[in-house]
């Protein structure tokens, strides 16, 4: 059942070559800078893109660094070059299926004399990756429903609760009234962790005692969301049960309860995946997509891994939009996924 797992052969190498740039702290005010035009407008921090680049540094070094070593200065491109490129892509977790497709497209372009040198090949690869990421790109629009229900699923430890905490804080800052549901009832600490995040942004959390039925929490949370005129209800779930079948049955039951209380909901079933787990994340995407009706993905912990190619694999092989990426622990490190910005950050030197 499980696909053959490719281990990261170059992992050690990646780790060795990846240094650590200081994360983009905003420059200090000099007193000479003009005040922002309007406090209503989001202020794009100067270090925002740099911070993304630094969060993706390991993937950049591993993937693009190796591509550059292969193509830079090459005056001609031949089948051997593409074969070497294929190996780099596969060992960078871009996925076998996507890699084969990318190489086939590049072979066609080579046949049409479009890839004159290394520079052209590098540009063509970036374009092809960008077009695949863009094909499924669809940012999450929580304003599409008066009460938007966001169900967050994924295995234990991938970053569900942290992602929910960051989203709650962002949505609140954008003026939405948020309610959180602690449907991970396995450990009291899980509800506690969510409550800490809730308190930070002044958001209420619906929780029951440890060991309670998650569907009962969800039922109460839906009732409360309607009664309190909430804009966004975010539901945290547990990622572990004795078997995968149990876990999927639990998810289905939760969905049924939500849909009965709020017809048409959940409006988004967001699967959280830990990028650092590479091919395991791919297996999880397959399992949850088949059984739990995933509609979007958040990929966390890209900052700690060279396996960032997985963004391409997950989106392309499962036709799923990547809604968010996590490139660090801070609230601003949970980013809206933007294919152009992402490929620029990877390929820009
Ligand atoms: N470096 C890094 N750590 C993250 C990111 N997202 C989550 N984490 C960490 O991953 C760990 C597990 O997160 P948690 O939200 O408890 O996972 P859950 O079991 O799925 O709810 C925590 O220590 C988080 O701080 C990220 O984007 N980057
Ligand atoms: Mg959790």
């Amino acid at each position: 059942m499980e696909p053959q797992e490719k281990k990261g052969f170059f992992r050690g190498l990646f780790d060795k070559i990846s240094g650590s740039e200081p994360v983009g702290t905003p420059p200090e005010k000099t007193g000479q800078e003009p005040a922002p035009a309007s406090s209503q407008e989001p202020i794009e921090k100067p270090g925002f893109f740099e911070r993304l680049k630094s969060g993706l540094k390991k993937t950049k070094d591993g993937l693009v660094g190796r591509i550059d070593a292969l193509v830079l200065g090459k005056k001609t491109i031949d089948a051997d070059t593409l074969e070497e490129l294929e190996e780099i892509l596969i060992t960078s977790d871009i996925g076998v299926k996507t890699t084969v497709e990318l190489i086939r497209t590049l072979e066609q372009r080579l046949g049409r004399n479009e890839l004159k040198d290394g520079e052209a090949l590098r540009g063509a690869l970036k374009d092809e990756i960008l077009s695949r990421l863009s094909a499924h790109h669809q940012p999450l629009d929580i304003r599409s429903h008066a009460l938007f229900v966001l169900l967050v699923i994924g295995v234990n430890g991938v970053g569900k609760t942290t992602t929910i905490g960051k989203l709650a804080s962002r949505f609140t800052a954008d003026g939405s009234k948020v309610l959180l549901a602690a449907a991970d009832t396995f450990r009291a600490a899980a509800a506690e962790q969510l409550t800490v995040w809730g308190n930070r942004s002044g958001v209420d959390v619906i929780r029951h005692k440890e060991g309670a039925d998650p569907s009962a929490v969800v039922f109460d949370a839906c009732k409360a969301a309607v009664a309190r005129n909430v804009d966004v209800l975010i539901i945290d779930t547990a990622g572990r049960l004795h078997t995968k079948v149990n876990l999927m049955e639990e998810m289905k039951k939760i969905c049924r309860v939500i849909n009965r209380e709020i017809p048409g909901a959940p409006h988004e079933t967001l699967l959280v995946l830990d990028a650092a787990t590479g091919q395991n994340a791919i297996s999880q995407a397959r399992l949850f997509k088949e059984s739990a009706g995933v509609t979007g993905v958040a990929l966390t912990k890209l900052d700690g891994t060279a396996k960032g190619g997985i963004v391409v694999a997950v989106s392309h092989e499962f036709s799923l939009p990547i809604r968010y990426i996590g490139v660090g622990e801070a609230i601003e490190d949970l980013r809206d996924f933007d294919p152009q910005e992402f490929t620029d950050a990877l390929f820009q030197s």
Side-chain angles (χ1 to χ4, degrees), residues 17-63:
I17 55 180
S18 59
S20 53
E21 281 175 1
V23 225
T25 36
E28 288 191 6
K29 285 255 179 317
T30 59
Q32 292 167 330
E33 287 157 344
S38 149
S39 57
Q40 297 300 100
E41 279 171 25
I43 304 160
E44 182 87 343
K45 286 186 203 154
F48 201 72
F49 182 69
E50 287 308 311
R51 197 173 167 116
L52 175 67
K53 265 175 83 173
S54 122
L56 294 174
K57 184 160 176 30
K58 287 192 178 180
T59 298
K60 186 178 167 59
D61 288 345
L63 174 60

Side-chain angles (χ1 to χ4, degrees), residues 49 52-53 56 60 64 122 125-134 311-312 325 337-349:
F49 182 69
L52 175 67
K53 265 175 83 173
L56 294 174
K60 186 178 167 59
V64 181
R122 189 185 194 276
L125 177 66
K126 183 188 170 188
D127 288 349
E128 294 296 338
I129 289 178
L130 176 59
S131 86
R132 277 161 186 78
L133 287 174
S134 303
V311 169
V312 186
I325 53 171
F337 179 64
D338 177 338
Q340 182 75 57
E341 196 183 54
F342 180 80
T343 41
D344 282 349
L346 276 188
F347 280 84
Q348 206 178 79
S349 33

Side-chain angles (χ1 to χ4, degrees), residues 48-100:
F48 201 72
F49 182 69
E50 287 308 311
R51 197 173 167 116
L52 175 67
K53 265 175 83 173
S54 122
L56 294 174
K57 184 160 176 30
K58 287 192 178 180
T59 298
K60 186 178 167 59
D61 288 345
L63 174 60
V64 181
R66 282 160 67 212
I67 291 171
D68 284 346
L70 173 68
V71 305
L72 281 188
K74 262 213 162 62
K75 295 279 179 276
T76 55
I77 302 300
D78 55 22
D80 286 348
T81 319
L82 292 185
E83 205 167 292
E84 281 182 63
L85 179 63
E86 182 169 22
E87 193 188 327
I88 295 175
L89 295 177
I90 285 180
T91 53
S92 300
D93 288 84
I94 280 190
V96 176
K97 188 178 159 219
T98 311
T99 297
V100 168

Side-chain angles (χ1 to χ4, degrees), residues 175-221:
S176 294
K177 185 172 178 185
V178 181
L179 182 69
L180 301 179
D184 177 353
T185 56
F186 265 76
R187 297 169 302 132
E192 201 47 55
Q193 187 192 357
L194 196 66
T195 307
V196 168
W197 275 106
N199 288 342
R200 263 183 220 169
S201 37
V203 165
D204 288 342
V205 179
I206 303 295
R207 55 187 284 191
H208 286 189
K209 282 201 295 285
E210 184 180 344
D213 180 359
S215 296
V217 179
V218 169
F219 177 82
D220 281 357

Side-chain angles (χ1 to χ4, degrees), residues 149-169:
V149 181
L150 172 53
L151 176 66
V152 180
I153 65 175
V155 305
N156 192 38
V158 290
K160 292 182 295 300
T161 307
T162 312
T163 298
I164 291 169
K166 292 171 179 174
L167 286 178
S169 140

Side-chain angles (χ1 to χ4, degrees), residues 10-24:
F10 294 88
R11 187 83 203 273
L13 178 64
F14 293 159
D15 290 345
K16 233 176 265 170
I17 55 180
S18 59
S20 53
E21 281 175 1
V23 225

Side-chain angles (χ1 to χ4, degrees), residues 253-296:
K253 189 173 161 199
I254 288 175
C255 275
R256 279 200 300 274
V257 172
I258 298 171
N259 197 251
R260 208 165 51 217
E261 294 311 307
I262 304 166
H267 306 103
E268 170 83 347
T269 300
L270 184 73
L271 174 65
V272 180
L273 297 170
D274 175 347
T277 63
Q279 294 305 304
N280 274 335
I282 298 283
S283 309
Q284 290 159 23
R286 184 172 296 115
L287 177 72
F288 279 94
K289 194 186 176 201
E290 281 167 5
S291 331
V294 176
T295 50

